[in-house]
Structure formats: structure tokens, C-alpha cells
Amino acid sequence: MVTPGYPDRVVPKPGHEADPKNRTLINRYNQRPACLDHAHRVLEEAVAAAYGWTDCTPDKPGPEILSRLLALNLERSGDQW
């Protein structure tokens, strides 16, 4: 179905005709545009606040955060690793 006033297919903006094979979500993620970087920072801050981790900063290594989350989940489930 074509909506009047709109093209019947997606047309790239001039200057954005890059090879579609290179326009993947992984490539977009790896380029780390400012909006994605900001979204990650906001999410990390929200997770830290939800768990009451006042010592978490954007500079804290990911493995340490994952280790905390694993320990918390194991504690809550009663499992020991």
C-alpha cells in the first residue's frame, strides 16, 4: 500500500547512499554515535540507582558490574557457585 505523497519504497537521503551491507546494527553500534553512548550511560546510571550502588561510575569496568549482578542473583536464588 502506498500512502499518497510518500514514495513506494525507502529512498536514502542524498549523501547517505552507503552500501546497504555496511549499514548493519552491529556497525552502527560499533561506531558509537553520541545518542547511543548517552542512552548507555543513562541506562547504567538507572541500574546502579535501582540497586543502590552509589560507588558506580561510568568508568567502573563492566566485568565488575556483571560480577555484582551475578552475586546478587545467586544470593536471591539461594544457589552458590
Side-chain angles (χ1 to χ4, degrees), residues 1-68:
M1 173 156 81
V2 178
T3 304
Y6 291 94
D8 62 347
R9 61 185 174 82
V10 176
V11 179
K13 293 180 182 178
H16 295 274
E17 302 89 355
D19 181 5
K21 293 178 186 174
N22 294 327
R23 291 186 292 163
T24 65
L25 190 56
I26 292 172
N27 286 341
R28 179 83 170 143
Y29 182 86
N30 289 337
Q31 291 171 357
R32 293 297 284 211
C35 61
L36 185 58
D37 194 43
H38 176 72
H40 274 278
R41 185 174 300 265
V42 169
L43 179 61
E44 289 168 359
E45 290 171 0
V47 168
Y51 285 102
W53 297 339
T54 58
D55 64 330
C56 286
T57 65
D59 302 326
K60 190 167 283 296
E64 183 175 337
I65 300 297
L66 292 175
S67 176
R68 285 185 184 190

